Amino acid sequence: MEITETYARAHELLKKAGLRPTRQRLGLAHLLFDQGNRHVTAEALHSEAGKASLSVSLATVYNTLHQLTEAGLLNQVNLEGASTYFDTNLEPHGHFYFIDRQQLMDVPAPGIDKSVLPAPPDGTEISRVDVIVTVRDVRK
Amino acid sequence: MEITETYARAHELLKKAGLRPTRQRLGLAHLLFDQGNRHVTAEALHSEAGKASLSVSLATVYNTLHQLTEAGLLNQVNLEGASTYFDTNLEPHGHFYFIDRQQLMDVPAPGIDKSVLPAPPDGTEISRVDVIVTVRDVRK
DNA sequence: ATTTGTGCAAATCGTTTGCATCTGA
DNA sequence: TCAGATGCAAACGATTTGCACAAAT
């Protein structure tokens, strides 16, 4: 079959990451990268894969998400209580976290970057900066 | 017994929080608030309590930390991989997270407050802002 | 006396791992 | 061929919960 076209982008990204383009990884990369910026949990992606008739185990979803993260194709976002999200947006940015809906939204210009931050102690360097603005529904 | 003096501050804080000054809570509050700003995990506090001959179960440590957090006496800090930290510093501030040592350090004046941040969508309000600067040892 | 807190152990949840089996280059 | 990938189920670690007992008002 000519899945070639549909998965071209996914295939290329996997290649760039040095990961074998297996059926599972192609499918997952397609779900992740062929529909604009996304915030997904492993659970959510796994269930999406199921709906798309892609047979993958949850363990493999976790593996793949981590491999893509390590390859710099995803960002990991850690939240209180909720499970870990993976973000396809690679630009430096922050997040609104809607705690009532457990949903994430990018904050384009969080006004916080290395320039506002004190230098870290000698012998260390900044690895990443996470800005999470937790937001809740206004209670009347 | 005259634990009164030693625990005066802890007692007062618990009262303010509307929590019964039980032996466990007094002891934990004492450990938390009577030695300057601290960053502790539930595990760490539990083991500290043990060393201080305060008999408390881990479950009670968790309960107490959450109650104090709810009362606004502690801030919760969520980190990737590691367990949750509780911070006695109530001023708005960020954190350096030394990932190699799993240690936290306050980032004093990062110029981070609601004023730099975009307003959240209508019907929602900012509940908290977390700035975590992950720092790693420089590898040569 | 009543309410609230505590300890324990079992349960839960997200995530990881071990290992036998498959699959892509 | 055969290193690398996958699936399953069991293991995990942090946290929570249910419930009988104990302590504070």
Side-chain angles (χ1 to χ4, degrees):
Chain A
M1 32 174 161
E2 67 290 333
I3 51 171
T4 319
E5 225 171 297
T6 315
Y7 290 73
R9 184 172 168 62
H11 197 286
E12 183 191 341
L13 289 170
L14 289 177
K15 188 174 163 191
K16 188 179 305 179
L19 296 171
R20 268 198 201 167
T22 64
R23 170 167 32 268
Q24 288 80 342
R25 297 212 269 229
L26 278 170
L28 294 176
H30 177 57
L31 289 173
L32 285 169
F33 300 113
D34 287 335
Q35 39 183 317
N37 282 155
R38 310 202 55 193
H39 299 106
V40 289
T41 62
E43 275 306 344
L45 185 59
H46 181 241
S47 112
E48 247 184 72
K51 284 172 196 154
S53 305
L54 169 66
S55 157
V56 204
S57 74
L58 184 54
T60 296
V61 172
Y62 272 106
N63 282 340
T64 304
L65 286 172
H66 287 144
Q67 288 155 350
L68 293 173
T69 300
E70 210 156 311
L73 296 172
L74 288 177
N75 275 321
Q76 209 176 324
V77 185
N78 308 292
L79 302 169
E80 153 170 6
S83 34
T84 300
Y85 277 74
F86 292 84
D87 183 359
T88 60
N89 184 353
L90 299 178
E91 301 305 313
H93 66 286
H95 291 104
F96 280 130
Y97 174 49
F98 299 92
I99 200 167
D100 298 308
R101 310 204 137 282
Q102 293 209 162
Q103 247 179 239
L104 277 184
M105 174 187 283
D106 286 352
V107 176
I112 295 158
D113 57 22
K114 310 198 182 193
S115 68
V116 247
L117 295 167
D122 278 351
T124 65
E125 61 188 4
I126 292 180
S127 154
R128 44 185 301 199
V129 178
D130 289 295
V131 178
I132 297 176
V133 182
T134 302
V135 161
R136 63 153 176 264
D137 296 339
V138 177
R139 21 180 116 132
K140 291 195 281 271
Chain B
M1 34 176 166
E2 66 291 331
I3 50 172
T4 320
E5 224 171 298
T6 316
Y7 289 75
R9 184 173 167 63
H11 198 286
E12 182 190 344
L13 288 170
L14 290 176
K15 188 174 162 190
K16 189 180 302 178
L19 296 170
R20 272 195 197 169
T22 63
R23 172 171 30 267
Q24 287 81 341
R25 297 212 271 229
L26 278 171
L28 295 176
H30 177 58
L31 289 173
L32 286 169
F33 301 114
D34 287 335
Q35 40 184 317
N37 282 155
R38 311 201 55 194
H39 299 107
V40 289
T41 62
E43 271 315 337
L45 185 59
H46 181 241
S47 111
E48 245 183 74
K51 283 171 198 155
S53 305
L54 170 65
S55 156
V56 205
S57 73
L58 185 54
T60 295
V61 172
Y62 273 105
N63 283 339
T64 303
L65 286 172
H66 287 144
Q67 289 155 349
L68 292 173
T69 300
E70 211 157 311
L73 297 173
L74 289 176
N75 276 322
Q76 208 176 323
V77 185
N78 308 292
L79 303 169
E80 155 171 7
S83 34
T84 300
Y85 277 73
F86 293 84
D87 182 0
T88 60
N89 183 354
L90 299 177
E91 301 305 311
H93 66 285
H95 290 105
F96 280 131
Y97 174 48
F98 300 92
I99 199 166
D100 298 307
R101 308 205 139 281
Q102 295 210 161
Q103 246 180 239
L104 276 184
M105 175 186 284
D106 286 352
V107 176
I112 297 156
D113 56 20
K114 312 197 179 187
S115 70
V116 250
L117 296 166
D122 278 349
T124 65
E125 61 187 4
I126 293 178
S127 151
R128 43 187 299 201
V129 178
D130 289 295
V131 177
I132 297 175
V133 182
T134 302
V135 163
R136 63 155 176 264
D137 295 339
V138 176
R139 22 180 114 132
K140 292 194 280 271

